Amino acid sequence: MTTVTPSTRNRRKVLAVLAGGLVLGVGAAITLAAWNDSEFATGTFTAGSFNLEGSTTSAVNGFSNHNVTKGDTAAGLTFSAPFSNLTPGDVLYAPFWVRLDSTTTSNASLVASTGAGTGANAANISYEVYSIAAAATCDSSATAGTLVASGDDLTAFTAGSSIPLAKGATAGTAGTAAQLCFVATAKSSLAQGVSATGTWSFTATSN
């Protein structure tokens, strides 16, 4: 049987305290070495603006919005005579200018997106839409331009080529207008005393 003397017990207590002190000392060294620092980054994202407008007046005046899906009224085209007194074979012309407005921040491509006709003579009038120079006269020479849309009658629609639209050269400036020349032809099947209405839409998509 081993006898534990008071001095032995005291020695064990001292060793235990020293051992505890060594453990605490190691823990303190790790805590002091683990310095931390952080960096943060933030980004702000702002959308640009985009709006297409049209004019039946000229390449520089009379522009406004004509998007019927947003509550606007479609632009009323003014065709050349004799639009109100048609006979078979008559060919009529109407200009329409489109451009990106002064708030637009991106270039775009324009395409004819829909075409529809109503009225008793809708099946008796064919049409083509050409892109021509903004200052050109919308007449028989328009057929030398880029075909944007066509239809064997007002109830038919075939999209043609897209055309580019440039935003304004400086902030707050409208883009350069593009002219669309509508060419309507009365067919031999034209019925007397009745009318027809054609409606077309054009869509600009930002590049």
Side-chain angles (χ1 to χ4, degrees), residues 179-191:
Q179 183 180 181
L180 301 174
C181 180
F182 289 74
V183 183
T185 302
K187 300 163 68 171
S188 60
S189 56
L190 188 73

Side-chain angles (χ1 to χ4, degrees), residues 95-180:
F96 184 52
W97 289 266
V98 292
R99 72 182 185 185
L100 299 174
D101 78 357
S102 60
T103 68
T104 299
T105 55
S106 301
N107 296 325
S109 296
L110 181 85
V111 295
S113 48
T114 64
T118 58
N121 262 326
N124 303 319
I125 299 173
S126 63
Y127 71 91
E128 297 88 32
V129 183
Y130 295 93
S131 171
I132 62 176
T137 300
C138 179
D139 57 18
S140 59
S141 64
T143 56
T146 300
L147 183 64
V148 176
S150 62
D152 290 335
D153 58 56
L154 295 179
T155 67
F157 171 78
T158 300
S161 300
S162 65
I163 59 172
L165 292 177
K167 65 183 179 68
T170 58
T173 302
T176 301
Q179 183 180 181
L180 301 174

Side-chain angles (χ1 to χ4, degrees), residues 28-90:
I30 292 175
T31 300
L32 292 174
W35 292 358
N36 290 290
D37 191 15
S38 301
E39 289 290 330
F40 296 85
T42 183
T44 299
F45 304 91
T46 303
S49 298
F50 191 82
N51 186 56
L52 180 70
E53 58 185 5
S55 170
T56 59
T57 304
S58 74
V60 295
N61 297 313
F63 282 90
S64 61
N65 293 314
H66 303 95
N67 188 338
V68 297
T69 64
K70 295 182 178 180
D72 303 322
T73 301
L77 299 175
T78 302
F79 278 91
S80 58
F83 69 90
S84 60
N85 188 29
L86 284 178
T87 58
D90 285 338

